[in-house]
């Protein structure tokens, strides 16, 4: 399963930023369609109870994912507009994600896939030719998320919003008259904002290092060496610039089953009216989605339990060092240290069997989906405790907004 995918340069062209003397990105003003997308992204009125926007689950302060610490500590899945209605997965970051190609076969691995949006790829790009634009439309009508009853309701609310004049200015005087056309333009506008320089800043310490404007500490440098070598992280999270100097996105947009355990606090287990399986429910990931499509059905079994490889950019971005973030599609892990230790020792420690077992110390829980677990690139990496810490130190250099220390 060794991979060496690099994102084509054309996908990154147009959002690459110059770096200032301190390493911080030089942010450009939003274009009109990006401004429109931002207004839509932050509008809570575009939900059933007028209480939830895209930004409610995708906040800049934590890398455009979920910022509520109490939620992240437990189920990690966010409540929708309707009280006590929860989604099925942790909110992924929308940053550095608009570069994904439409869902399609992985040319390097027969029967596997890459591209698409959402953890399971079901925003394929088939509707609008752009997975991020397809994805942007889904939560508005999802009863577990923004829960609007119809496309007409969504477009009607946009037509009376303060930014409706901007919508018409950018997309034409009659842009809101055709409901279906307006609906599609809403998705395109949100994707434009998500692909903007405000969201994709390329302003981490590592970007400054690549630009020759900063240096890694010895531990961070060791972490980078391990990242591309013994720890095998770069197999799916490319860390080097592209052939034309494009900054790395730290994802190859493929799918993997990492053997991640269930999150026992997942709120979806208790939603028996929409989840008749209750606690027996398992998230089947890409394979579950493929099983619902005629073309994908032959490949469903070999993709059960696989989820999209996320970008590692902003993986540690948080308002304070103590702010709790959740990791993996179900938010079962609560720290980078835990994630790296899992990658390193998943197949070394026995399976947890009792109440007194300590996951990560004496054992690991069984995978949520036991089929198709990646045993080539993680599970028994042989990293020492110091090497694990070095990898984490490098991951912390990927947070946007880095400012060079002031020398005195």
């Amino acid at each position: 399963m060794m991979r060496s995918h690099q994102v084509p340069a054309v996908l990154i062209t147009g959002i690459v930023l110059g770096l200032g003397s301190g390493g911080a990105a030089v942010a450009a003003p939003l274009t009109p369609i990006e401004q429109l997308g931002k207004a839509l992204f932050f509008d809570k009125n575009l939900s059933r109870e007028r209480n939830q926007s895209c930004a409610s689950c995708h906040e800049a302060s934590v890398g455009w994912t979920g910022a509520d610490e109490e939620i992240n500590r437990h189920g990690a899945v966010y409540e929708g507009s309707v009280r006590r209605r929860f989604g099925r997965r942790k909110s992924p970051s929308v940053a550095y994600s608009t570069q994904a190609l439409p869902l399609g076969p992985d040319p390097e691995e027969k029967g596997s896939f890459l591209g698409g949006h959402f953890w399971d790829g079901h925003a394929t790009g088939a509707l609008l030719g752009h997975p991020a634009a397809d994805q942007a439309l889904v939560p508005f009508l999802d009863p577990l998320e923004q829960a609007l009853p119809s496309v007409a309701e969504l477009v009607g609310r946009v037509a009376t919003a303060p930014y409706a004049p901007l919508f018409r200015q950018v997309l034409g005087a009659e842009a809101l008259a055709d409901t279906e056309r307006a609906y599609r333009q809403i998705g395109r506008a949100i994707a434009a904002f998500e692909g903007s320089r405000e969201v994709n800043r390329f302003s981490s310490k590592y970007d400054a290092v690549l630009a020759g404007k900063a240096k890694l500490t010895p531990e961070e440098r060791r972490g980078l060496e391990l990242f591309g070598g013994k720890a095998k992280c770069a197999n799916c999270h490319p860390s080097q610039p592209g052939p034309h100097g494009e900054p790395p996105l730290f994802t190859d947009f493929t799918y993997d089953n990492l053997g991640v355990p269930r999150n026992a606090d997942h709120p979806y287990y208790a939603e028996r009216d929409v989840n008749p399986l209750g606690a027996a429910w398992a998230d089947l990931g890409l394979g579950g989605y493929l099983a619902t499509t005629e073309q994908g059905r032959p490949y469903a079994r070999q993709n059960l339990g696989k989820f999209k490889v996320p970008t590692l950019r902003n993986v540690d971005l948080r308002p304070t060092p103590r702010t709790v973030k959740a990791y993996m599609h179900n938010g079962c892990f609560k720290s980078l240290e835990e994630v790296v230790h899992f990658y390193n020792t998943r197949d070394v420690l026995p399976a947890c069997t009792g109440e007194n077992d300590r996951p990560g110390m004496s054992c690991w829980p069984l995978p949520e989906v036991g089929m198709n677990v990646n045993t080539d690139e993680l599970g028994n990496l042989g990293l020492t405790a110091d090497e694990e810490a070095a990898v984490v130190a490098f991951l912390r250099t990927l947070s946007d907004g880095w400012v060079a220390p002031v020398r005195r």
Side-chain angles (χ1 to χ4, degrees):
M1 293 187 65
M2 297 294 288
R3 304 186 182 117
S4 58
H5 295 118
Q6 285 286 353
V7 180
V10 67
L11 299 180
I12 308 176
T13 302
I15 61 170
V16 179
L17 305 182
L19 293 175
S21 60
V26 180
L30 295 177
T31 66
I33 195 167
E34 290 168 355
Q35 292 174 24
L36 174 60
K38 182 176 182 177
L40 292 160
F41 190 90
F42 284 91
D43 188 357
K44 290 187 176 182
N45 286 318
L46 304 183
S47 62
R48 176 172 162 177
E49 303 302 325
R50 302 180 186 273
N51 60 347
Q52 186 179 57
S53 68
C54 305
S56 298
C57 299
H58 303 281
E59 294 192 29
S61 66
V62 289
W64 302 95
T65 183
D68 188 307
E69 286 194 81
E70 189 61 24
I71 293 174
N72 292 343
R73 282 191 183 96
H74 301 289
V77 177
Y78 282 61
E79 191 173 35
S81 180
V82 179
R83 193 167 179 268
R84 297 192 182 283
R85 286 288 189 182
F86 295 86
R88 299 174 185 86
R89 298 177 182 128
K90 183 188 83 73
S91 305
S93 172
V94 300
Y96 305 103
S97 64
T98 59
Q99 299 87 343
L101 292 166
L103 183 70
D106 182 345
E108 296 187 18
E109 192 172 328
K110 186 177 180 180
S112 295
F113 290 78
L114 55 77
H117 216 303
F118 285 119
W119 284 106
D120 66 355
H122 75 268
T124 64
L127 178 64
L128 300 176
H130 192 322
D134 283 12
Q135 181 278 325
L137 293 175
V138 173
F140 291 123
L141 305 181
D142 189 327
L144 301 182
E145 296 191 56
Q146 286 164 275
L148 289 176
S150 66
V151 169
E153 178 70 17
L154 170 63
V155 174
R157 294 194 187 193
V158 171
T160 59
Y163 51 82
L166 176 61
F167 199 106
R168 296 185 177 95
Q169 175 189 331
V170 173
L171 300 170
E174 302 301 317
L176 290 165
D178 183 329
T179 298
E180 186 58 34
R181 179 173 179 271
Y183 177 60
R184 295 181 178 219
Q185 296 289 28
I186 288 168
R188 293 189 178 102
I190 293 173
F193 171 64
E194 292 176 347
S196 72
R197 296 181 177 185
E198 181 172 322
V199 179
N200 306 268
R201 296 172 61 190
F202 293 100
S203 61
S204 69
K205 180 179 181 180
Y206 187 60
D207 290 302
V209 170
L210 292 177
K213 299 182 181 296
K215 292 183 179 181
L216 297 174
T217 67
E219 184 181 37
E220 292 165 351
R221 186 166 58 251
R222 178 62 175 145
L224 174 58
E225 293 170 356
L226 291 162
F227 189 94
K230 185 177 178 180
K232 301 183 180 180
C233 310
N235 289 1
C236 299
H237 301 279
S239 58
Q240 297 303 308
H244 303 291
E246 309 87 23
L249 296 175
F250 285 89
T251 174
D252 61 5
F253 298 106
T254 58
Y255 293 79
D256 251 324
N257 182 354
L258 305 179
V260 172
R262 292 156 56 96
N263 183 344
D265 292 332
H266 201 309
Y268 190 65
Y269 295 139
E271 294 188 78
R272 295 306 293 266
D273 55 334
V274 293
N275 173 26
L277 294 177
W281 172 78
D283 194 336
L284 301 180
L286 173 64
Y289 165 66
L290 292 175
T292 69
T293 72
E294 184 175 354
Q295 289 182 319
R297 198 167 294 121
Y299 306 101
R301 183 177 177 82
Q302 70 191 87
N303 287 284
L304 290 173
K306 293 187 178 183
F307 293 89
K308 190 175 180 182
V309 173
T311 179
L312 295 183
R313 284 183 172 273
N314 293 323
V315 70
D316 191 56
L317 184 63
R318 61 190 79 207
T320 72
R322 293 188 177 183
T323 299
V324 177
K325 294 184 72 170
Y327 298 94
M328 304 302 180
H329 68 279
N330 59 11
C332 65
F333 297 140
K334 311 302 180 182
S335 71
L336 285 179
E337 288 84 356
E338 189 178 20
V339 171
V340 173
H341 189 54
F342 175 78
Y343 269 61
N344 186 29
T345 64
R346 183 200 64 199
D347 299 341
V348 175
L349 299 179
C352 298
T353 58
E355 293 183 1
N356 295 325
D357 287 343
R358 295 183 297 165
M361 299 295 290
S362 61
C363 64
W364 285 113
L366 292 171
E368 181 177 17
V369 177
M371 297 176 62
N372 308 311
V373 173
N374 184 341
T375 57
D376 296 330
E377 295 164 311
L378 70 157
N380 185 8
L381 299 177
L383 300 175
T384 66
D386 286 346
E387 288 174 332
E388 286 188 14
V391 172
V392 171
F394 170 67
L395 292 174
R396 289 184 170 138
T397 72
L398 304 181
S399 297
D400 282 334
W402 179 79
V403 178
V406 176
R407 295 182 178 179
R408 297 183 180 179

